[in-house]
Amino acid sequence: TAPSSGVVVQVREKKGPLRAAIPYMPFPVAVICLFLNTFVPGLGTFVSAFTVLCGARTDLPDRHMCCVFWLNIAAALIQILTAIVMVGWIMSIFWGMDMVILASKYA
């Protein structure tokens, strides 16, 4: 009998710049942003952009704080402008869910 040899496979999610710019916020703030994004697409993302200016950490440590702030503003504008065709609304809800998931990892 031959000894069994296994291969270790590691899967790591690669995030784009907009997705990596989502800030790690305190859990209550993330829930409020999810609530805002659910009823007014892009509003919670817009609010979360200001948490970056308050020192919230993101997955873009090599980028300047202002650059990450503007990436979040751009994501909010995309959500607002495409909400008419429901794409932005769905994106906004998923964005809010990602905020809550990151906040639960942060805590």
Side-chain angles (χ1 to χ4, degrees):
T1 62
S4 64
S5 62
V7 178
V8 177
V9 177
Q10 181 179 6
V11 178
R12 195 176 318 165
E13 180 183 9
K14 183 177 180 185
K15 296 179 180 180
L18 278 180
R19 187 69 113 201
I22 298 174
Y24 289 82
M25 299 176 281
F27 191 77
V29 177
V31 170
I32 290 169
C33 288
L34 171 61
F35 180 79
L36 292 173
N37 270 350
T38 302
F39 295 105
V40 182
L43 184 59
T45 306
F46 185 75
V47 169
S48 75
F50 289 96
T51 65
V52 172
L53 296 178
C54 294
R57 189 175 61 83
T58 65
D59 289 331
L60 294 172
D62 54 334
R63 298 246 178 130
H64 192 268
M65 180 188 315
C66 289
C67 178
V68 177
F69 169 77
W70 286 112
L71 282 171
N72 279 292
I73 295 295
L77 289 175
I78 290 169
Q79 292 168 7
I80 291 167
L81 294 175
T82 60
I84 297 167
V85 291
M86 295 300 290
V87 173
W89 206 328
I90 294 167
M91 177 186 175
S92 184
I93 292 169
F94 278 110
W95 218 259
M97 289 171 31
D98 280 346
M99 290 178 201
V100 172
I101 290 168
L102 289 176
S104 65
K105 289 180 184 177
Y106 177 72

